[in-house]
Amino acid sequence: MSSLAENSHHQLVAAVIGLGSMGLGMARSMKRAGLDVIGYDISTAAVDRFVSEGGRGAASPASAAKDADIVVSVVVNGAQTRDVLFGAGDVAGTMKPGAVFISSATMDPAVARDLAERCTALGLHYLDAPISGGAVKAASGELTIMASGTKLAFDAARPALDAMAGKVYELGDDAGTGAAFKMINQLLAGVHIAAACEAITFAAKQGLDLDKVYEVITASAGNSWMFENRVPHVLEGDYSPRSAIEIFVKDLGIVQDMARTERYPTPLAAAALQMYLAASGAGMGRDDDASLARLYAQLSGTVLPNT
């Protein structure tokens, strides 16, 4: 047990801001681990669901964070995180000194560094802690967390990290490093999904047995985690969003911004971003990211299963 837990003489209080598919699983995992968890979401239905399971609900980010030792923010991006902390959410103005803010949104590393500096100036700890693993791993408490921050931030966050993660990578003392690692992951993930969709639709165009293509490729060197995970959505014709097209419009956009700043070429990520933008423009933005296969099919007159 961490020193924070030993010294506090009370059940640790954790607030979760954002009870979507990831945040809800993370809140449940901390509750299972014995933390007193308060949840907030802009959707009152999401809060009600957590309360119905024995959690506590809050009517605003600030009221959720007021008594919390640990605040876990699971919103979409840097702008939303800034708003939670210093905008309408006013979490930074409400948290008690010495509490830790765990930021799990994917964002530009420069934004993470700025938020950390502003929190530190207020006597708060900030842990830059983007996540990977999806809703299933969030629900089971087995996320991969790519974290960076001071030793004090890690110490304060440890009970939550232990509850939420199967693997915590401690990547340095400075906020922004975790965010940068996550962007490398997102570059690869976005390109791999685009490549998988391009390949499986190309196979369909040639009239191949797609179930057999899946069997052969997943046993061959051309396989990727994303091919193995996303192609079944195409084979089933099920594009209900597990991860939406708009996620990669956002994340590959951040990659391009970072690369432009560094004068670094990212032609594969740029080409993939154009496909996500096209899919979004074609009305698929909120659909599963495997919808890139549908875009390839539309462009080429290819028929996919169950469409």
Side-chain angles (χ1 to χ4, degrees), residues 27-285:
R28 287 169 171 163
S29 294
M30 286 191 285
K31 196 159 114 3
R32 274 199 311 273
L35 282 73
D36 177 12
V37 184
I38 307 168
Y40 168 77
D41 195 276
I42 55 171
S43 162
T44 54
V47 178
D48 292 344
R49 177 170 55 177
F50 184 57
V51 170
S52 74
E53 298 171 0
R56 290 203 281 151
S60 70
S63 60
K66 179 165 61 77
D67 298 317
D69 304 290
I70 300 165
V71 177
V72 183
S73 176
V74 201
V75 295
V76 171
N77 55 25
Q80 286 191 6
T81 306
R82 185 184 288 113
D83 191 56
V84 164
L85 275 167
F86 303 109
D90 194 32
V91 163
T94 311
M95 287 171 69
K96 56 191 183 185
V100 60
F101 184 87
I102 301 177
S103 174
S104 293
T106 300
M107 67 182 73
D108 187 311
V111 175
R113 287 191 289 271
D114 175 63
L115 296 177
E117 287 171 10
R118 294 177 67 180
C119 284
T120 300
L122 295 172
L124 305 173
H125 301 300
Y126 182 101
L127 195 69
D128 175 20
I131 53 181
S132 183
V136 172
K137 295 288 190 184
S140 61
E142 296 176 302
L143 287 169
T144 295
I145 298 183
M146 306 165 217
S148 62
T150 64
K151 182 182 185 302
L152 290 173
F154 272 107
D155 288 347
R158 188 70 61 196
L161 298 176
D162 288 347
M164 297 186 296
K167 182 71 177 177
V168 177
Y169 287 99
E170 300 189 16
L171 301 171
D173 299 333
D174 300 319
T177 306
F181 269 81
K182 177 63 186 285
M183 293 320 305
I184 301 303
N185 181 77
Q186 294 308 92
L187 185 161
L188 289 164
V191 169
H192 288 174
I193 292 166
C197 291
E198 183 173 301
I200 199 66
T201 312
F202 189 38
K205 182 68 173 176
Q206 294 176 78
L208 301 182
D209 178 337
L210 297 189
D211 289 322
K212 186 59 69 174
V213 171
Y214 181 76
E215 179 186 341
V216 170
I217 295 302
T218 54
S220 301
N223 190 36
S224 68
W225 191 94
M226 285 299 188
F227 185 96
E228 197 160 329
N229 184 267
R230 297 306 204 266
V231 168
H233 304 176
V234 179
L235 302 183
E236 295 157 12
D238 178 8
Y239 298 96
S240 53
R242 272 74 84 181
S243 174
I245 287 285
E246 287 293 344
I247 296 291
F248 283 101
V249 170
K250 170 179 69 77
D251 290 357
L252 291 182
I254 294 172
V255 168
Q256 293 305 304
D257 291 343
M258 293 168 64
R260 185 167 54 246
T261 299
E262 298 284 349
R263 297 299 185 266
Y264 182 83
T266 52
L268 297 182
L273 173 59
Q274 295 304 311
M275 297 305 293
Y276 290 103
L277 285 167
S280 180
M284 304 177 200

